[in-house]
């Protein structure tokens, strides 16, 4: 085997100065390049918050004193958010892992005892259908389209705001919707099928788009049956669930936050008996714990468990076509003008 030889000098002469002086670890160019690379590791939106958190703490006692004081005024979820920012900065800048600070972790866990995070209320299938069928299009068309896409795709508010006309493909019998930029950096695609008049509502809203609009954002301000060229912002989009709840005269309207559409979509899937893997894929979650929360809180699943525990039965989905004559139908049951009748049966096994 030939011995390894360094590259000829004439090749080194073509390299940038900063690479030719790698043996000088304190080179100003190297330090600056490293600092730029490190700064890009932090989230762009909240980088200033991370820097503030980093400048405050560098040892466990200081951290413990700070969080102990903050625990008097902040919820457990806020304390953990602050911990996450400090942890990220100390790992990136100083290679210090505060997750190995036992006293700090024990204290933060104790602050969470008995704490239950407030979650947005959800819209049921019947409430969604009632709003889509009864609300006046002249006033609520944009709200309807946002509701349809938000529920169908388990969308976050930002995802709806940034949706463009190029992200939606109308293939007559359905809409194929792509969410290119997500919180988890994983693009998602979902489909809106021709249920009720959902596709008709979308096409009606899209047809009102002014021809002179220079941007491609899908959602435009809508009033009195007309769209303006101004795109809908995050605050307006986040109020869609509360507008629906207010129209339907539901209690606690303020509890229907922008996260309602995403929670409602996942809960509808859980109620339908969909497995956790499918729910995770649909909503783009990486964490199984989050998806399990929806299944756990599903009333439909709790009903199935109650039947299994109290009655000793399981609910099975059975599809069967039968011919029923009028002679063997009980007199108190009337099937006139009925189509696609569904029977839910409890089957003893």
């Amino acid at each position: 085997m030939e011995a390894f030889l360094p590259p000829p000098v004439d090749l080194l002469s073509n390299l940038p100065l900063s690479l030719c002086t790698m043996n000088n670890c304190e080179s100003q160019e190297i330090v600056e390049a490293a600092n730029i690379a490190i700064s890009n590791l932090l989230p762009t939106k909240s980088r200033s918050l991370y820097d503030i958190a980093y400048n405050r703490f560098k040892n466990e006692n200081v951290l413990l004193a700070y969080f102990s004081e903050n625990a008097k005024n902040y919820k457990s979820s806020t304390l953990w958010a602050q911990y996450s920012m400090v942890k990220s900065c100390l790992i990136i800048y100083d290679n210090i892992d505060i997750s190995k600070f036992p006293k700090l972790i024990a204290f933060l866990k104790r602050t969470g005892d008995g704490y239950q995070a407030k979650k947005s209320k959800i819209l049921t299938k019947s409430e969604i259908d009632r709003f889509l069928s009864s609300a006046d299009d002249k006033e609520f068309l944009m709200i309807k389209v946002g509701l349809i896409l938000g529920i169908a795709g388990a969308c976050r508010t930002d995802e709806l705001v940034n949706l463009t006309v190029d992200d939606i493909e109308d293939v007559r019998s359905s809409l194929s919707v792509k969410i290119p930029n997500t919180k988890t950096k994983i693009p998602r695609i979902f489909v809106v099928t021709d249920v009720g008049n959902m596709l008709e509502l979308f096409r009606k809203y899209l047809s009102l788009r002014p021809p002179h609009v220079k941007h491609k954002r899908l959602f435009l301000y809508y009033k009195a049956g007309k769209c303006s060229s101004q795109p809908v912002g995050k605050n307006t989009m986040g109020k869609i669930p509360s507008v629906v709840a207010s129209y339907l005269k539901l209690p606690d309207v303020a509890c229907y936050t922008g996260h309602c559409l995403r929670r409602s979509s996942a809960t509808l899937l859980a109620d339908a008996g969909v497995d956790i893997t499918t729910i995770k894929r649909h909503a783009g979650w990486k964490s199984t714990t989050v998806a399990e929360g929806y299944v756990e809180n599903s009333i439909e699943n709790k009903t199935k468990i109650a039947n299994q525990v109290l009655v000793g039965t399981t609910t099975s989905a059975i599809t069967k076509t039968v011919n029923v004559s009028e002679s063997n139908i009980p007199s108190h049951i009337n099937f006139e003008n009925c189509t696609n009748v569904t029977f839910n049966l409890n089957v003893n096994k």
Side-chain angles (χ1 to χ4, degrees):
M1 180 180 294
E2 297 181 0
F4 175 79
L5 296 176
V9 176
D10 59 330
L11 291 179
L12 291 175
S13 63
N14 294 325
L15 295 176
L17 176 62
S18 58
L19 295 180
C20 292
T21 58
M22 279 295 184
N23 59 323
N24 181 8
C25 294
E26 298 300 323
S27 167
Q28 186 63 31
E29 291 184 23
I30 293 176
V31 172
E32 290 178 359
N35 288 337
I36 293 174
I38 290 173
S39 65
N40 289 334
L41 296 176
L42 296 175
T44 304
K45 288 185 178 180
S46 53
R47 182 175 298 165
S48 60
L49 297 177
Y50 278 72
D51 289 335
I52 292 173
Y54 165 73
N55 291 327
R56 286 178 178 170
F57 321 111
K58 288 192 179 180
N59 66 67
E60 184 173 18
N61 288 333
V62 174
L63 283 166
L64 194 57
Y66 174 80
F67 282 108
S68 178
E69 185 65 25
N70 272 8
K72 300 176 183 178
N73 303 311
Y74 295 104
K75 299 176 183 178
S76 175
S77 57
T78 303
L79 297 179
W80 280 108
Q82 294 173 342
Y83 162 82
S84 178
M85 288 190 288
V86 175
K87 178 183 176 182
S88 297
C89 285
L90 289 177
I91 288 178
I92 291 173
Y93 291 137
D94 295 332
N95 198 27
I96 298 174
D97 186 2
I98 64 173
S99 65
K100 297 179 180 179
F101 289 178
K103 292 183 291 185
L104 175 63
I105 300 302
F107 173 79
L108 290 174
K109 288 182 177 180
R110 178 64 61 86
T111 62
D113 288 349
Y115 171 75
Q116 286 188 335
K118 290 184 179 179
K119 296 181 179 180
S120 171
K121 285 195 168 185
I122 64 171
L123 294 167
T124 65
K125 181 67 167 61
S126 61
E127 290 167 348
I128 295 169
D129 292 341
R130 185 152 56 95
F131 177 79
L132 293 177
S133 61
S134 62
D136 186 1
D137 287 356
K138 191 173 182 180
E139 182 178 358
F140 296 104
L141 183 58
M142 189 277 289
I143 302 295
K144 288 184 177 183
V145 175
L147 177 64
I148 291 169
L149 295 180
I151 294 292
C155 295
R156 300 177 177 89
T157 300
D158 282 345
E159 293 171 350
L160 289 175
V161 169
N162 296 321
L163 204 60
T164 70
V165 291
D166 292 340
D167 294 328
I168 302 180
E169 182 181 2
D170 190 339
V171 291
R172 289 193 175 186
S173 60
S174 64
L175 301 176
S176 177
V177 185
K178 182 179 181 180
I179 307 293
N181 300 313
T182 69
K183 183 178 179 180
T184 57
K185 313 298 182 184
I186 302 175
R188 300 198 317 275
I189 296 177
F190 65 91
V191 173
V192 180
T193 55
D194 195 8
V195 177
N197 62 338
M198 291 184 179
L199 297 187
E200 179 185 342
L201 290 170
F202 171 81
R203 290 163 182 158
K204 180 178 180 180
Y205 179 70
L206 192 62
S207 68
L208 297 174
R209 186 180 184 86
H212 60 275
V213 177
K214 296 181 180 180
H215 59 83
K216 292 189 175 183
R217 291 259 291 273
L218 172 65
F219 286 101
L220 306 175
Y221 273 100
Y222 178 83
K223 187 176 182 180
K226 295 182 180 180
C227 287
S228 69
S229 59
Q230 184 177 357
V232 173
K234 184 176 181 178
N235 291 335
T236 300
M237 190 67 70
K239 293 178 181 177
I240 286 181
S242 62
V243 171
V244 175
S246 178
Y247 175 86
L248 297 175
K249 294 181 171 53
L250 302 178
D252 303 321
V253 170
C255 294
Y256 291 85
T257 67
H259 201 52
C260 167
L261 303 182
R262 188 165 169 80
R263 293 198 71 242
S264 298
S265 179
T267 304
L268 289 172
L269 281 178
D271 285 342
V274 174
D275 62 87
I276 293 175
T277 302
T278 302
I279 294 177
K280 283 178 61 180
R281 187 183 301 114
H282 173 69
W285 282 306
K286 292 182 178 179
S287 170
T288 300
T289 304
V290 176
E292 284 177 342
Y294 290 99
V295 177
E296 179 184 354
N297 294 322
S298 166
I299 297 299
E300 187 70 22
N301 278 281
K302 288 184 181 296
T303 302
K304 291 178 182 179
I305 293 172
N307 286 335
Q308 293 170 354
V309 173
L310 302 176
V311 187
T313 62
T314 57
T315 302
S316 302
I318 301 175
T319 302
K320 187 175 183 180
T321 303
V322 296
N323 294 321
V324 181
S325 63
E326 294 183 2
S327 60
N328 57 13
I329 297 178
S331 59
H332 64 279
I333 298 179
N334 186 358
F335 287 103
E336 291 183 4
N337 299 321
C338 292
T339 58
N340 298 325
V341 179
T342 300
F343 296 91
N344 292 321
L345 304 175
N346 286 330
V347 181
N348 291 321
K349 293 185 177 180

